[in-house]
Amino acid sequence: DLPQKWRQVSIGLASVAVLALGIRSAIRRSDWESNETFARRTMAAGGTSIRVALLLGQVYLNRGDYAEAERLFRKALQICPDYPTARNNLATALVHLGKEKEAEGLFAEATKTARDMRKDYPRTWIAALNLAHMREDQKNRAEAIQILDRARHDYPNTWELVRAETELLREDDKMGEAMGLIRPFAENNWWHHDAWMAVGRLYAQEGEVDKASAVLRRTSWLDVHETDALNLLALIRMRQNRMDDAVQTQRRAVSRQPDEPQQYLLLSNLLDKAGRTAEARSALDQVARLRSLASAGQIAN
């Protein structure tokens, strides 16, 4: 009888262990429900690290709770004073809190040290990008371009830097310099939809209609879900008074994004200009239907 009793006790203990393991697993699964839950519970359990502080700080930054984000990013810098991501994120939070002078100092310092630290932290160019944005906001576009130009030479083939500098040059009406920057990047990255889109926009702005059309057609093939190239191409065809081509091009955009009211709205405008009023009204009906469905979905949620 004694061995039988011990077997029963063993079975009972095993059941308790399995139950405890199940409870623990359920708790751990709940830890991963969101980045915020995971980071909070990890820190509460004494697991504060720079990565956890950054994770939770980013949650608050995205939410717009900049004061709490500042606190966490400062904590991250206490753990690792030279960590570029923590410094950049802290500076971003400070900008939103109106502490622009301190933010500018952080961005400037990070930009100076970026070249030496890029082996360990490959995205240190972000500091230069943020500093350039600050200079642009301060209406100092010339210095913003200089900052981006220096960073681009240190970090060649970085799209974010190329895009920002190209846009500043375009807005300053330096079309030749802008094209000289963006076109080589696009040719070296033939698959890059956004780069070719920028080339097409520049040609269109310069009035190089044939070049713009050729580039936009090519761009539309690079991403079968995007419609920017088709939308712009349809507008170019409209300005050329090639209304049938414009409508046909925009219908291709609609087929790619059949649930987007904006696509039908542009189609309706083109049809109206082409004198096809009944088709234009039909396209507007689709706009109303999609917006009604969207409103009903929001109410249901």
Side-chain angles (χ1 to χ4, degrees):
D1 291 342
L2 189 59
Q4 179 67 25
K5 289 182 180 180
W6 278 113
R7 280 197 296 272
Q8 291 175 349
V9 170
S10 298
I11 292 171
L13 290 173
S15 299
V16 171
V18 170
L19 178 61
L21 181 60
I23 293 171
R24 181 182 178 187
S25 297
I27 293 171
R28 292 303 299 165
R29 280 197 302 272
S30 70
D31 285 350
W32 291 92
E33 287 176 358
S34 69
N35 286 340
E36 181 178 3
T37 300
F38 169 74
R40 278 183 169 279
R41 290 182 178 176
T42 300
M43 293 180 74
T48 302
S49 69
I50 187 167
R51 295 191 182 279
V52 173
L54 283 174
L55 179 63
L56 188 54
Q58 190 65 52
V59 169
Y60 286 121
L61 193 64
N62 294 339
R63 185 183 294 168
D65 188 347
Y66 303 115
E68 191 63 19
E70 176 191 2
R71 183 185 69 79
L72 285 160
F73 293 138
R74 289 193 189 279
K75 180 183 287 291
L77 284 174
Q78 288 175 358
I79 299 170
C80 186
D82 295 327
Y83 202 84
T85 303
R87 188 159 43 191
N88 290 334
N89 287 357
L90 173 59
T92 300
L94 291 173
V95 169
H96 287 288
L97 290 168
K99 303 177 182 180
E100 293 189 358
K101 186 173 182 180
E102 184 181 359
E104 186 174 342
L106 287 170
F107 282 140
E109 182 62 26
T111 301
K112 289 178 183 178
T113 60
R115 188 170 185 176
D116 296 332
M117 302 183 70
R118 60 183 173 179
K119 292 180 180 179
D120 297 322
Y121 306 103
R123 290 174 60 85
T124 49
W125 50 264
I126 292 176
L129 184 64
N130 287 329
L131 184 59
H133 285 322
M134 289 196 71
R135 290 290 183 265
E136 183 184 5
D137 291 340
Q138 296 164 355
K139 311 301 181 185
N140 192 345
R141 300 166 64 82
E143 187 173 344
I145 291 172
Q146 291 176 2
I147 291 169
L148 291 169
D149 191 62
R150 288 194 297 267
R152 186 171 49 79
H153 283 89
D154 288 338
Y155 300 87
N157 209 40
T158 301
W159 165 241
E160 290 83 353
L161 297 174
V162 173
R163 175 177 57 187
E165 187 175 352
T166 298
E167 185 61 17
L168 288 175
L169 291 168
R170 185 192 67 80
E171 291 175 359
D172 279 353
D173 205 27
K174 298 177 180 178
M175 307 300 288
E177 293 181 47
M179 186 64 76
L181 179 58
I182 194 66
R183 179 86 199 209
F185 179 90
E187 289 173 349
N188 289 331
N189 300 273
W190 62 266
W191 45 266
H192 204 296
H193 173 275
D194 290 350
W196 283 109
M197 190 68 215
V199 173
R201 286 197 183 100
L202 281 175
Y203 277 134
Q205 186 171 338
E206 287 185 298
E208 297 277 0
V209 175
D210 291 339
K211 290 182 179 179
S213 298
V215 167
L216 291 171
R217 280 196 301 271
R218 173 179 177 175
T219 305
S220 71
W221 302 334
L222 294 175
D223 190 333
V224 297
H225 301 290
E226 282 292 334
T227 60
D228 289 347
L230 292 174
N231 293 155
L232 182 53
L233 188 56
L235 292 174
I236 289 173
R237 293 290 180 254
M238 181 195 71
R239 293 180 186 128
Q240 293 176 309
N241 203 30
R242 296 169 55 180
M243 298 308 302
D244 288 343
D245 287 346
V247 169
Q248 184 178 359
T249 300
Q250 183 55 28
R251 286 196 186 280
R252 287 176 57 201
V254 169
S255 69
R256 289 187 176 188
Q257 295 183 354
D259 298 326
E260 286 295 328
Q262 187 65 30
Q263 299 303 330
Y264 293 96
L265 190 59
L266 180 53
L267 176 61
S268 176
N269 290 338
L270 293 172
L271 288 165
D272 188 57
K273 290 181 183 298
R276 297 157 65 172
T277 54
E279 293 176 78
R281 283 196 297 271
S282 178
L284 278 180
D285 289 342
Q286 279 292 96
V287 174
R289 185 183 71 83
L290 289 170
R291 287 176 175 170
S292 177
L293 288 172
S295 297
Q298 290 175 356
I299 293 172
N301 291 334

